[in-house]
Amino acid sequence: MSRIILGSDVEIYSGADMREGVKVMMARRRKLSNPLALAVMALLGERAMHPYEMARLLRLRGKDETIKINYGSLYTVVQSLERHGFVEPVGTQREGRRPERTLYGLTPSGQEELHDWLADMVSVPAREFPAFAAALSMLLVLPLDEACELLDERVGRLTSQCAAARDALTGFADKVPRIVLIESEYQLHMTQAEIAWIRAFREELAEGSVSGVAEWRERGESGEIPEAWRALEGGPAED
Protein backbone atom coordinates (compact mmCIF):
# COMPACT_ATOMS: atom_id res chain seq x y z
CA MET A 1 0.00 0.00 0.00
CA SER A 2 1.52 3.33 -1.02
CA ARG A 3 1.85 6.01 1.64
CA ILE A 4 3.59 9.29 2.38
CA ILE A 5 5.85 9.47 5.41
CA LEU A 6 6.18 12.62 7.52
CA GLY A 7 9.25 12.41 9.72
CA SER A 8 9.80 8.90 11.06
CA ASP A 9 6.50 7.82 12.53
CA VAL A 10 3.57 9.67 10.92
CA GLU A 11 1.92 8.20 7.85
CA ILE A 12 -0.69 9.86 5.64
CA TYR A 13 -2.48 7.53 3.29
CA SER A 14 -3.71 8.65 -0.09
CA GLY A 15 -7.40 8.94 -0.87
CA ALA A 16 -7.24 5.79 -2.99
CA ASP A 17 -5.67 3.84 -0.15
CA MET A 18 -8.26 5.08 2.33
CA ARG A 19 -10.98 3.71 0.09
CA GLU A 20 -9.40 0.25 -0.08
CA GLY A 21 -11.56 -2.33 1.62
CA VAL A 22 -14.48 0.08 1.94
CA LYS A 23 -17.57 -1.39 0.34
CA VAL A 24 -19.51 1.34 -1.41
CA MET A 25 -23.03 0.67 -2.58
CA MET A 26 -23.40 1.73 -6.19
CA ALA A 27 -26.59 2.45 -8.06
CA ARG A 28 -27.24 0.12 -10.97
CA ARG A 29 -26.04 1.51 -14.28
CA ARG A 30 -29.06 2.68 -16.23
CA LYS A 31 -29.73 2.96 -19.95
CA LEU A 32 -30.36 6.69 -19.47
CA SER A 33 -28.80 9.01 -16.90
CA ASN A 34 -30.24 12.42 -17.75
CA PRO A 35 -32.54 13.55 -14.88
CA LEU A 36 -34.70 15.26 -17.51
CA ALA A 37 -35.62 11.80 -18.80
CA LEU A 38 -36.70 10.84 -15.29
CA ALA A 39 -38.82 14.00 -15.03
CA VAL A 40 -40.49 13.21 -18.36
CA MET A 41 -41.35 9.69 -17.22
CA ALA A 42 -42.74 11.08 -13.97
CA LEU A 43 -45.03 13.40 -15.93
CA LEU A 44 -46.16 10.61 -18.24
CA GLY A 45 -46.87 8.49 -15.17
CA GLU A 46 -49.69 10.97 -14.50
CA ARG A 47 -51.20 11.01 -17.98
CA ALA A 48 -50.34 10.95 -21.66
CA MET A 49 -49.15 14.28 -23.06
CA HIS A 50 -47.13 15.83 -25.86
CA PRO A 51 -43.65 17.37 -25.38
CA TYR A 52 -44.99 20.94 -25.45
CA GLU A 53 -47.25 20.14 -22.49
CA MET A 54 -44.34 18.48 -20.71
CA ALA A 55 -42.25 21.63 -21.08
CA ARG A 56 -45.12 23.80 -19.83
CA LEU A 57 -45.63 21.68 -16.71
CA LEU A 58 -41.90 21.48 -15.96
CA ARG A 59 -41.75 25.27 -15.98
CA LEU A 60 -44.99 25.67 -14.04
CA ARG A 61 -43.83 23.28 -11.32
CA GLY A 62 -40.39 24.89 -11.04
CA LYS A 63 -38.50 21.73 -11.93
CA ASP A 64 -35.86 23.86 -13.66
CA GLU A 65 -34.71 24.87 -10.17
CA THR A 66 -33.48 21.34 -9.44
CA ILE A 67 -33.01 19.76 -12.87
CA LYS A 68 -30.86 21.19 -15.63
CA ILE A 69 -33.44 21.51 -18.37
CA ASN A 70 -32.67 22.31 -21.97
CA TYR A 71 -36.12 22.65 -23.46
CA GLY A 72 -34.67 22.51 -26.96
CA SER A 73 -33.48 18.95 -26.29
CA LEU A 74 -36.75 17.77 -24.76
CA TYR A 75 -37.85 16.12 -28.00
CA THR A 76 -34.50 14.33 -28.18
CA VAL A 77 -35.02 13.00 -24.65
CA VAL A 78 -38.50 11.77 -25.54
CA GLN A 79 -37.15 10.05 -28.66
CA SER A 80 -34.44 8.39 -26.57
CA LEU A 81 -37.04 7.16 -24.08
CA GLU A 82 -39.10 5.79 -26.96
CA ARG A 83 -36.06 4.06 -28.44
CA HIS A 84 -35.46 2.27 -25.14
CA GLY A 85 -39.09 1.24 -24.89
CA PHE A 86 -39.92 3.41 -21.87
CA VAL A 87 -42.51 5.61 -23.63
CA GLU A 88 -44.65 5.16 -26.72
CA PRO A 89 -47.01 7.20 -28.90
CA VAL A 90 -50.59 6.68 -27.76
CA GLY A 91 -52.46 9.15 -29.94
CA THR A 92 -52.52 12.64 -31.36
CA GLN A 93 -54.03 15.94 -30.31
CA ARG A 94 -54.97 19.02 -32.28
CA GLU A 95 -55.80 22.42 -30.81
CA GLY A 96 -57.47 24.86 -33.17
CA ARG A 97 -55.45 25.34 -36.32
CA ARG A 98 -52.22 24.15 -34.77
CA PRO A 99 -50.53 21.06 -36.22
CA GLU A 100 -51.28 17.69 -34.70
CA ARG A 101 -49.11 16.80 -31.73
CA THR A 102 -48.13 13.29 -30.79
CA LEU A 103 -49.22 12.19 -27.32
CA TYR A 104 -46.81 9.93 -25.45
CA GLY A 105 -47.58 7.50 -22.66
CA LEU A 106 -45.49 5.49 -20.23
CA THR A 107 -45.03 1.81 -21.07
CA PRO A 108 -44.98 -0.94 -18.41
CA SER A 109 -41.21 -1.07 -18.89
CA GLY A 110 -41.07 2.69 -18.40
CA GLN A 111 -43.13 2.46 -15.23
CA GLU A 112 -40.67 -0.08 -13.84
CA GLU A 113 -37.68 2.03 -14.87
CA LEU A 114 -39.23 5.15 -13.31
CA HIS A 115 -39.71 3.36 -9.99
CA ASP A 116 -36.29 1.68 -9.91
CA TRP A 117 -34.37 4.77 -11.07
CA LEU A 118 -36.04 7.05 -8.54
CA ALA A 119 -35.58 4.49 -5.76
CA ASP A 120 -31.86 4.37 -6.55
CA MET A 121 -31.57 8.16 -6.50
CA VAL A 122 -33.32 8.40 -3.14
CA SER A 123 -31.50 5.55 -1.39
CA VAL A 124 -27.99 5.52 -2.89
CA PRO A 125 -25.82 8.63 -2.38
CA ALA A 126 -24.35 9.60 -5.74
CA ARG A 127 -20.77 10.76 -6.06
CA GLU A 128 -21.15 14.34 -7.21
CA PHE A 129 -18.58 17.00 -8.04
CA PRO A 130 -19.83 20.37 -6.72
CA ALA A 131 -18.04 23.39 -8.16
CA PHE A 132 -17.53 24.96 -4.72
CA ALA A 133 -15.86 21.83 -3.35
CA ALA A 134 -13.53 21.87 -6.37
CA ALA A 135 -12.70 25.52 -5.64
CA LEU A 136 -11.98 24.72 -1.98
CA SER A 137 -9.58 21.98 -3.04
CA MET A 138 -7.51 24.66 -4.79
CA LEU A 139 -8.15 27.54 -2.38
CA LEU A 140 -4.47 27.71 -1.39
CA VAL A 141 -3.67 29.11 -4.83
CA LEU A 142 -5.25 32.39 -3.71
CA PRO A 143 -3.58 34.68 -1.17
CA LEU A 144 -5.09 34.10 2.29
CA ASP A 145 -6.55 37.59 2.71
CA GLU A 146 -8.14 37.53 -0.75
CA ALA A 147 -9.61 34.07 -0.12
CA CYS A 148 -11.17 35.34 3.11
CA GLU A 149 -12.73 38.30 1.31
CA LEU A 150 -14.12 36.03 -1.41
CA LEU A 151 -15.59 33.64 1.15
CA ASP A 152 -17.29 36.61 2.83
CA GLU A 153 -18.71 37.65 -0.56
CA ARG A 154 -20.07 34.15 -1.07
CA VAL A 155 -21.75 34.20 2.33
CA GLY A 156 -23.40 37.50 1.44
CA ARG A 157 -24.76 36.13 -1.82
CA LEU A 158 -25.91 32.88 -0.23
CA THR A 159 -27.64 34.80 2.55
CA SER A 160 -29.58 36.80 -0.04
CA GLN A 161 -30.53 33.58 -1.82
CA CYS A 162 -31.75 32.10 1.45
CA ALA A 163 -33.88 35.13 2.18
CA ALA A 164 -35.47 34.94 -1.27
CA ALA A 165 -36.07 31.20 -0.92
CA ARG A 166 -37.68 31.61 2.51
CA ASP A 167 -39.95 34.34 1.15
CA ALA A 168 -40.97 32.12 -1.76
CA LEU A 169 -41.70 29.15 0.50
CA THR A 170 -43.71 31.36 2.84
CA GLY A 171 -45.66 32.74 -0.08
CA PHE A 172 -46.61 29.27 -1.25
CA ALA A 173 -47.31 27.87 2.22
CA ASP A 174 -51.05 28.59 2.13
CA LYS A 175 -51.45 27.77 -1.57
CA VAL A 176 -49.89 24.34 -2.11
CA PRO A 177 -49.11 21.34 0.12
CA ARG A 178 -45.65 21.38 1.66
CA ILE A 179 -44.89 18.00 0.12
CA VAL A 180 -44.69 19.48 -3.38
CA LEU A 181 -42.08 22.01 -2.23
CA ILE A 182 -39.70 19.69 -0.41
CA GLU A 183 -36.92 20.03 -3.01
CA SER A 184 -36.87 23.80 -2.44
CA GLU A 185 -36.91 23.26 1.31
CA TYR A 186 -34.00 20.82 1.00
CA GLN A 187 -32.00 23.29 -1.09
CA LEU A 188 -32.64 26.02 1.47
CA HIS A 189 -31.35 23.82 4.30
CA MET A 190 -28.27 22.84 2.30
CA THR A 191 -27.50 26.49 1.59
CA GLN A 192 -27.93 27.37 5.26
CA ALA A 193 -25.53 24.55 6.17
CA GLU A 194 -22.97 25.89 3.69
CA ILE A 195 -23.26 29.38 5.18
CA ALA A 196 -22.75 27.99 8.69
CA TRP A 197 -19.67 26.04 7.60
CA ILE A 198 -18.06 28.99 5.80
CA ARG A 199 -18.66 31.30 8.76
CA ALA A 200 -17.12 28.80 11.18
CA PHE A 201 -14.15 28.28 8.87
CA ARG A 202 -13.65 32.04 8.53
CA GLU A 203 -13.60 32.42 12.30
CA GLU A 204 -10.94 29.74 12.56
CA LEU A 205 -8.89 31.45 9.86
CA ALA A 206 -9.16 34.76 11.69
CA GLU A 207 -8.02 33.10 14.93
CA GLY A 208 -5.19 31.32 13.14
CA SER A 209 -6.35 28.01 14.58
CA VAL A 210 -6.45 26.18 11.24
CA SER A 211 -3.32 24.07 10.85
CA GLY A 212 -1.33 25.12 7.80
CA VAL A 213 -2.61 28.71 7.77
CA ALA A 214 0.88 30.11 8.50
CA GLU A 215 2.29 28.20 5.54
CA TRP A 216 -0.60 29.40 3.40
CA ARG A 217 0.25 33.01 4.19
CA GLU A 218 3.92 32.26 3.53
CA ARG A 219 3.07 30.88 0.12
CA GLY A 220 1.03 33.98 -0.74
CA GLU A 221 3.90 36.26 0.21
CA SER A 222 6.75 34.30 -1.39
CA GLY A 223 4.94 32.66 -4.28
CA GLU A 224 6.70 29.40 -3.43
CA ILE A 225 5.48 26.16 -1.91
CA PRO A 226 6.52 25.98 1.77
CA GLU A 227 9.07 23.30 2.58
CA ALA A 228 6.67 21.71 5.06
CA TRP A 229 4.27 21.08 2.18
CA ARG A 230 6.94 19.79 -0.17
CA ALA A 231 7.45 16.90 2.24
CA LEU A 232 3.94 15.74 1.39
CA GLU A 233 5.00 15.20 -2.23
CA GLY A 234 7.65 12.61 -1.43
CA GLY A 235 7.60 9.24 -3.13
CA PRO A 236 6.59 5.92 -1.56
CA ALA A 237 8.49 4.93 1.52
CA GLU A 238 11.16 2.33 1.07
CA ASP A 239 10.90 -0.98 2.89
Side-chain angles (χ1 to χ4, degrees), residues 89 120 140 161:
D120 271 350
L140 302 178
Q161 290 178 15

Side-chain angles (χ1 to χ4, degrees), residues 9-226:
D9 57 357
V10 179
E11 301 180 353
I12 297 181
Y13 291 88
S14 69
D17 291 330
M18 292 174 66
R19 289 191 294 270
E20 276 189 15
V22 178
K23 185 176 182 180
V24 179
M25 182 183 296
M26 299 295 291
R28 182 167 64 88
R29 184 177 295 277
R30 318 212 74 83
K31 294 179 180 178
L32 297 172
S33 60
N34 185 351
L36 180 55
L38 183 67
V40 167
M41 287 195 291
L43 288 177
L44 296 182
E46 299 175 13
R47 67 177 188 275
M49 61 184 76
H50 50 74
Y52 180 83
E53 177 70 359
M54 298 175 202
R56 186 187 72 82
L57 287 177
L58 288 171
R59 289 192 187 97
L60 180 65
R61 298 179 182 182
K63 298 307 178 186
D64 49 355
E65 293 293 325
T66 52
I67 298 173
K68 186 175 182 180
I69 298 176
N70 181 347
Y71 292 102
S73 65
L74 185 59
Y75 283 89
T76 302
V77 170
V78 172
Q79 290 171 355
S80 182
L81 287 167
E82 182 180 3
R83 187 167 58 252
H84 286 94
F86 297 144
V87 306
E88 63 183 356
V90 295
T92 58
Q93 184 181 69
R94 182 190 295 275
E95 296 179 3
R97 296 184 178 181
R98 293 180 178 178
E100 276 190 345
R101 291 175 173 151
T102 301
L103 297 175
Y104 291 89
L106 200 60
T107 65
S109 176
Q111 184 65 52
E112 181 179 356
E113 178 69 8
L114 170 61
H115 175 274
D116 292 349
W117 188 357
L118 187 55
D120 271 350
M121 291 181 69
V122 171
S123 63
V124 183
R127 187 183 180 196
E128 299 175 329
F129 300 88
F132 182 53
L136 288 175
S137 74
M138 296 174 278
L139 192 63
L140 302 178
V141 172
L142 299 172
L144 174 59
D145 292 339
E146 181 183 359
C148 289
E149 292 175 2
L150 294 172
L151 287 171
D152 290 341
E153 287 182 21
R154 184 178 184 89
V155 166
R157 292 189 174 99
L158 291 175
T159 300
S160 296
Q161 290 178 15
C162 280
R166 279 193 297 268
D167 289 345
L169 287 171
T170 300
F172 282 113
D174 297 330
K175 300 175 183 177
V176 296
R178 177 186 171 196
I179 194 63
V180 303
L181 298 171
I182 54 172
E183 70 269 31
S184 297
E185 185 177 310
Y186 167 79
Q187 288 183 316
L188 174 59
H189 280 272
M190 293 301 100
T191 304
Q192 290 172 329
E194 181 178 329
I195 290 172
W197 181 86
I198 294 175
R199 284 176 172 164
F201 181 55
R202 279 286 289 111
E203 288 180 7
E204 291 179 301
L205 289 176
E207 295 167 355
S209 60
V210 179
S211 61
V213 72
E215 290 82 2
W216 184 3
R217 187 175 292 281
E218 176 188 334
R219 175 181 177 172
E221 293 172 350
S222 68
E224 298 181 357
I225 302 295

